[in-house]
Amino acid sequence: MNRLVINLNALHDNIQTIDKWITDHDASWTLVTKVLCGHSDTLKALKQLGIRSIADSRLANLITIEDIIPDVESWYLRLPHISVIDTIVQLADVSLNSETEIIEELNSVAAKQGKIHRIIVMIELGDLREGILPGTLIDFYNHVFRLSNIEVLGIGANLGCLSGSVPSIDQLMQLVLYRELLELKFERKLPTISAGSSILLPLLLEGSIPKSINHFRIGEAAFLGTDLINGGMLPGLRDDAFILEAEVVELKEKSLIPMGETSATTPFESVSKEEYSPGQRGYRAVLTMGQLDTDVAGLRPCNSEHVIAGASSDVMVVNVGENPESIAVGDTIKFKPSYGALVRLMISKYIDKIVTPSVSTFSEEIVEEDAEVPVGPVIEEEKYS
């Protein structure tokens, strides 16, 4: 059996740790749940943790979130598209925006639905993803401030999400200065600077983030503990919240080098970086897991002695050396997934997702451990006043 085991205790620990970092900065944050792909049991566990602000980029996931955590503050992370504006306003309390035409549509639909829709206006700071150009700020805000059913929470940016560029303190200070400019020009408070994602956490731990940066959108670090600037793990976070277990269906000692000529044309790119000597042999485990299920290159064997040799669409081969652990057919080999691999696993209908402990047991443990639940991300209402 192939399955993805979701460790709720590890997830709880990561969320509590990140929450402390951000609250110590006197800021708030929203948990980005895109990677969960609407997985209901994990969302139920997040409800038990008291998560009160969740962001996602899929409307189907927001529907599931609303069903499970109806009182949560919901953020729509993709730029709104006109074809589904009605649904976005219905499901999301907050959206990220960069086009006046779309904000006008949001305003019109919000008026019809009897709602005030809140927005963060995204500014382009060099990652070359979404965002208005800084030179157009005044004209842009002059327009959106006039809309009756739109509440402008503040400004935001995406850094390191597309090009991989590392955020700089200068870029963050630009956001601070842009907010000051807009508040002086329009004599209106913009309470929120939503500066970015998990990539900012190493800078937060260094004490390099300006105090005026008061909101973060955090996903990968909460689920995988990743340090997106330096590599490896952020201190105090766990990397065992998601463990993939794949079943061994063959185990034999074989040559570690293919026989004959090899073709440059294969269905999938090679994932092996190991070099072996002619005639070198070792045990190779064949697993019922392949590229159809996940991004195999994004898997890291939990046993450092194991090496992924390659994968086809539905089979993966792992070199297990001299098999000192006496792995047998029917056993499982465990892996830690990267963010990209985890997304593929969560969306795959072929992979069982198992939460441990069960949601009901987890709920009892949380209440017993901390009577002051809720914990976790929250944007306090007074920041919008």
Side-chain angles (χ1 to χ4, degrees), residues 184-201:
L184 288 171
K185 171 68 177 177
F186 294 104
E187 297 182 345
R188 294 183 61 163
K189 295 294 291 182
L190 292 172
T192 304
I193 302 180
S194 184
S197 64
S198 296
I199 199 169
L200 292 180
L201 290 179

Side-chain angles (χ1 to χ4, degrees), residues 176-234:
V176 175
L177 293 174
Y178 291 147
R179 182 176 72 169
E180 291 178 359
L181 169 66
L182 291 168
E183 288 183 335
L184 288 171
K185 171 68 177 177
F186 294 104
E187 297 182 345
R188 294 183 61 163
K189 295 294 291 182
L190 292 172
T192 304
I193 302 180
S194 184
S197 64
S198 296
I199 199 169
L200 292 180
L201 290 179
L203 301 179
L204 183 69
L205 292 177
E206 293 173 3
S208 301
I209 302 287
K211 274 294 185 181
S212 296
I213 303 292
N214 61 1
H215 181 257
F216 302 88
R217 308 179 302 275
I218 306 297
E220 182 168 350
F223 294 111
L224 297 176
T226 318
D227 183 333
L228 293 176
I229 292 181
N230 306 301
M233 301 292 299
L234 287 166

Side-chain angles (χ1 to χ4, degrees), residues 85-370:
I85 286 286
D86 288 62
T87 309
I88 291 171
V89 172
Q90 178 185 345
L91 294 173
D93 300 307
V94 185
S95 62
L96 313 182
N97 288 269
S98 63
E99 290 286 351
T100 54
E101 179 182 1
I102 289 178
I103 297 173
E104 287 172 354
E105 284 293 322
L106 288 168
N107 180 66
S108 176
V109 170
K112 292 176 183 176
Q113 294 186 14
K115 293 184 174 181
I116 299 295
H117 186 74
R118 299 182 287 181
I119 67 171
I120 296 287
V121 176
M122 303 299 283
I123 300 176
E124 174 58 62
L125 291 181
D127 196 51
L128 302 180
R129 209 175 85 162
E130 77 269 37
I132 67 174
L133 298 176
T136 66
L137 268 176
I138 299 298
D139 289 341
F140 192 95
Y141 271 86
N142 190 47
H143 184 78
V144 298
F145 271 146
R146 298 176 181 178
L147 300 176
S148 60
N149 289 73
I150 294 294
E151 180 182 354
V152 184
L153 296 183
I155 58 178
N158 263 312
L159 297 167
C161 292
L162 180 66
S163 65
S165 57
V166 176
S168 70
I169 305 307
D170 287 343
Q171 289 170 314
L172 299 176
M173 283 306 303
Q174 284 179 51
L175 281 178
V176 175
L177 293 174
Y178 291 147
R179 182 176 72 169
E180 291 178 359
L181 169 66
L182 291 168
E183 288 183 335
L184 288 171
K185 171 68 177 177
F186 294 104
E187 297 182 345
R188 294 183 61 163
K189 295 294 291 182
L190 292 172
T192 304
I193 302 180
S194 184
S197 64
S198 296
I199 199 169
L200 292 180
L201 290 179
L203 301 179
L204 183 69
L205 292 177
E206 293 173 3
S208 301
I209 302 287
K211 274 294 185 181
S212 296
I213 303 292
N214 61 1
H215 181 257
F216 302 88
R217 308 179 302 275
I218 306 297
E220 182 168 350
F223 294 111
L224 297 176
T226 318
D227 183 333
L228 293 176
I229 292 181
N230 306 301
M233 301 292 299
L234 287 166
L237 297 188
R238 297 175 60 171
D239 65 351
D240 61 341
F242 295 85
I243 299 293
L244 173 65
E245 299 179 352
E247 186 172 349
V248 177
V249 292
E250 178 187 297
L251 182 70
K252 287 183 169 57
E253 186 180 17
K254 299 183 180 182
S255 171
L256 299 181
I257 297 179
M259 297 176 62
E261 295 185 10
T262 57
S263 170
T265 304
T266 57
F268 302 101
E269 291 186 21
S270 172
V271 298
S272 176
K273 297 180 174 59
E274 296 293 311
E275 295 185 2
Y276 299 101
S277 304
Q280 188 173 352
R281 297 175 65 83
Y283 280 88
R284 290 164 71 91
V286 180
L287 312 178
T288 55
M289 166 75 58
Q291 299 285 8
L292 189 62
D293 305 290
T294 188
D295 176 11
V296 172
L299 299 179
R300 176 167 54 94
C302 292
N303 185 328
S304 61
E305 300 298 317
H306 293 171
V307 177
I308 297 175
S312 63
S313 59
D314 53 6
V315 165
M316 175 167 52
V317 176
V318 177
N319 292 332
V320 294
E322 297 180 358
N323 195 21
E325 292 182 302
S326 300
I327 294 171
V329 170
D331 291 344
T332 59
I333 293 180
K334 298 180 180 181
F335 303 86
K336 293 178 180 178
S338 68
Y339 189 84
L342 180 56
V343 169
R344 294 267 301 277
L345 289 166
M346 290 301 298
I347 205 169
S348 174
K349 64 181 180 180
Y350 305 114
I351 304 297
D352 293 332
K353 288 85 178 175
I354 307 297
V355 297
T356 180
S358 67
V359 174
S360 58
T361 303
F362 178 71
S363 302
E364 293 171 1
E365 290 177 357
I366 293 302
V367 171
E368 186 175 321
E369 176 185 324
D370 186 356

